[in-house]
Amino acid sequence: LIRSNRMAASTTAIQQLKYLQYKTQILNSYIKSLETILKSISTNPNERLLASLRLNLQNIEQKVLTDRAKEQQLTLQNNTLLSEIKDLTVEKDALYKAICLKEEEAKTAATSDTSDLSTEKVPRRQQKTNGDSNKRMIVETALHVIKGAVVKVLKIPTARTTMGVHFSDQPWRGAITIGNCADGKLCKIDANVKQQIEDTANECIRQNVACTIHEGLSRTEAESKFGHEMYDFYAVPDSVEKVNVLEIKDWNINCTNKMLCKSTAELMGLIVRKTKFNGKKKQLTIEFTVGPQTKCKDE
């Protein structure tokens, strides 16, 4: 508000200055006209007329002097206001830069906080990290069990065919997407195939197969022992020199950096729910549930 008032005062002072300059020009013109009249009547003087004209001329000169004094005063005021405006402009620019700097610092801090919260970056996984860690571990393990079942039923390769996995907001639920297979290997599955996958997965759970994690292997050593079967579709970054490899014997091999169950029996059971085939991408997504409500029946 103070800045606005100062700006308005400066504008008014400039307008007054221009008005006085214009008025002074008119008065100077009037004086010249009177001087011309005085010269014209000097040859035939008339004392009364001459005295009157001289009085008028003095009044005009006095007014000119007064207006010039006002003009000088307004000029000084105008210069003062212009100086204040310049100082305020510098202050405004400094404040703007300071605000921009604070905003950048806030953005950097927010980014840093987000980075600190993200302990891992796994592009293929749509993570849902909240919830019970034990339930999460069981769903993680179930992904490997159902992958092995799909490989056996559909007769597809293990290597580089897992396109992605998903963890539901609901406990005990997950999904796996399979792709990168030869033409005709993947298609929309019917209830019979769906049941075969479920039965095969539950057979692995009933057998209580050990989930062995080979830790800290060099990539060369791991590839020599397990081949490319340990990789999903999205490769492990080249910067990773050592890997952990999960082995469910005769069932599934996969690189992992997750906490997993010690054996398949901990899953208790598995139910295949929705399945979806994307014909354009040639990818099959299978949703499943594990846990106590799906416990396998002993035979």
Side-chain angles (χ1 to χ4, degrees):
L1 181 57
I2 291 171
R3 292 178 185 172
S4 177
N5 290 338
R6 286 179 175 174
M7 294 290 287
S10 176
T11 303
T12 303
I14 293 170
Q15 291 175 346
Q16 289 177 350
L17 179 60
K18 289 182 179 180
Y19 173 72
L20 287 173
Q21 289 173 341
Y22 172 70
K23 194 172 180 182
T24 300
Q25 289 176 356
I26 294 176
L27 290 173
N28 286 335
S29 176
Y30 187 37
I31 290 170
K32 288 180 181 180
S33 177
L34 288 174
E35 288 175 345
T36 302
I37 293 172
L38 286 172
K39 288 179 182 179
S40 67
I41 65 174
S42 61
T43 54
N44 184 21
N46 184 321
E47 292 298 332
R48 183 177 294 178
L49 177 60
L50 186 58
S52 177
L53 289 173
R54 283 175 179 169
L55 181 60
N56 287 337
L57 181 59
Q58 288 175 356
N59 292 336
I60 291 170
E61 287 177 344
Q62 184 61 41
K63 183 150 184 74
V64 169
L65 291 173
T66 302
D67 287 346
R68 282 179 179 172
K70 288 183 179 180
E71 181 181 349
Q72 290 177 354
Q73 185 180 3
L74 287 171
T75 300
L76 289 173
Q77 291 177 355
N78 185 55
N79 290 337
T80 302
L81 287 171
L82 288 174
S83 178
E84 290 179 357
I85 290 171
K86 185 177 179 180
D87 292 341
L88 288 171
T89 300
V90 172
E91 183 182 348
K92 178 203 74 174
D93 292 341
L95 286 171
Y96 178 74
K97 288 181 180 179
I99 290 170
C100 290
L101 181 61
K102 288 295 183 183
E103 288 178 346
E104 287 299 322
E105 289 176 354
K107 288 179 182 178
T108 302
T111 303
S112 176
D113 291 343
T114 303
S115 299
D116 292 341
L117 291 173
S118 302
T119 56
E120 297 175 358
K121 183 179 179 182
V122 188
R124 76 182 181 91
R125 292 176 177 266
Q126 300 177 26
Q127 299 284 5
K128 300 286 184 187
T129 56
N130 56 331
D132 185 273
S133 59
N134 186 61
K135 294 176 184 178
R136 168 69 179 232
M137 180 181 69
I138 291 174
V139 174
E140 286 273 9
T141 308
L143 290 166
H144 301 283
V145 171
I146 196 168
K147 172 66 183 292
V150 171
V151 167
K152 291 181 182 298
V153 172
L154 300 184
K155 299 183 180 353
I156 61 173
T158 297
R160 303 190 187 282
T161 52
T162 299
M163 308 302 293
V165 299
H166 176 78
F167 298 88
S168 174
D169 290 322
Q170 300 180 42
W172 306 109
R173 289 194 173 194
I176 186 169
T177 298
I178 309 296
N180 192 35
C181 297
D183 287 343
K185 283 292 184 179
L186 291 178
C187 60
K188 184 177 180 180
I189 61 175
D190 57 22
N192 180 48
V193 175
K194 181 177 171 181
Q195 189 63 51
Q196 287 182 51
I197 294 172
E198 182 177 305
D199 291 344
T200 305
N202 281 309
E203 180 61 28
C204 178
I205 294 170
R206 275 191 293 269
Q207 290 176 6
N208 192 20
V209 184
C211 300
T212 305
I213 297 181
H214 303 271
E215 298 186 50
L217 301 179
S218 69
R219 293 185 67 149
T220 302
E221 181 184 1
E223 288 179 1
S224 175
K225 185 173 183 177
F226 300 108
H228 288 276
E229 285 193 4
M230 68 180 189
Y231 290 129
D232 294 332
F233 179 76
Y234 296 102
V236 175
D238 293 336
S239 59
V240 177
E241 297 179 355
K242 291 185 177 295
V243 295
N244 297 337
V245 180
L246 165 71
E247 179 184 11
I248 302 176
K249 191 170 180 59
D250 298 328
W251 199 266
N252 183 250
I253 299 288
N254 195 229
C255 283
T256 184
N257 58 356
K258 307 298 180 184
M259 289 291 296
L260 299 172
C261 299
K262 294 189 180 298
S263 76
T264 59
E266 292 181 44
L267 274 60
M268 292 173 268
L270 185 147
I271 295 175
V272 175
R273 295 191 177 276
K274 294 180 182 178
T275 63
K276 180 181 178 182
F277 178 68
N278 187 322
K280 188 175 182 180
K281 294 182 178 180
K282 296 181 180 179
Q283 294 179 2
L284 176 66
T285 298
I286 301 174
E287 297 180 14
F288 62 87
T289 300
V290 289
Q293 294 182 349
T294 62
K295 186 174 291 189
C296 296
K297 294 180 180 178
D298 295 331
E299 295 183 358

